[in-house]
């Protein structure tokens, strides 16, 4: 986690999600907004290793930054 402490913004959020969910970079790159359930703190990685989908809990420490990031994306779509 020492490396993550030196990161900021979107790259830090991505690194924290990768570390906290135990996912692969390819799964993170194909992640879509509809795959994230904020209220239940779950993320669905579709067609992960072996073509299977899996649901993983999002770590609590990622949620504030993730909510802020999703809000900014929603604003971009609204504009």
């Amino acid at each position: 986690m020492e490396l993550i402490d030196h990161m900021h913004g979107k790259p830090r959020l991505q690194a924290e999600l990768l570390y906290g969910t135990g996912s692969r970079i390819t799964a993170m790159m194909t992640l879509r907004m509809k795959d994230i359930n904020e209220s239940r703190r779950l993320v669905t990685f579709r067609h992960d290793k072996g073509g299977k989908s899996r649901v993983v809990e999002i770590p609590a420490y990622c949620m504030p930054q993730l909510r802020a990031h999703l809000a900014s994306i929603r604003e971009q779509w609204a504009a």
Side-chain angles (χ1 to χ4, degrees):
M1 290 289 284
E2 188 175 318
L3 177 63
I4 294 175
D5 291 337
H6 297 288
M7 301 172 85
H8 302 285
K10 187 177 172 183
R12 180 182 178 126
L13 175 61
Q14 291 172 333
E16 286 178 342
L17 284 172
L18 284 170
Y19 181 80
T21 60
S23 61
R24 299 168 183 268
I25 293 174
T26 54
M28 184 65 61
M29 299 302 290
T30 59
L31 193 61
R32 298 178 290 180
M33 282 185 65
K34 71 179 190 176
D35 296 332
I36 299 171
N37 185 331
E38 288 180 69
S39 61
R40 295 180 66 199
R41 282 188 30 217
L42 296 174
V43 62
T44 303
F45 292 107
R46 300 182 189 281
H47 310 294
D48 205 8
K49 185 178 179 183
K52 299 177 183 178
S53 298
R54 63 188 183 105
V55 179
V56 180
E57 185 177 358
I58 299 170
Y61 62 86
C62 292
M63 288 309 296
Q65 191 176 3
L66 181 61
R67 283 189 180 111
H69 179 70
L70 293 175
S72 70
I73 291 173
R74 287 185 186 108
E75 286 180 20
Q76 288 177 357
W77 275 99

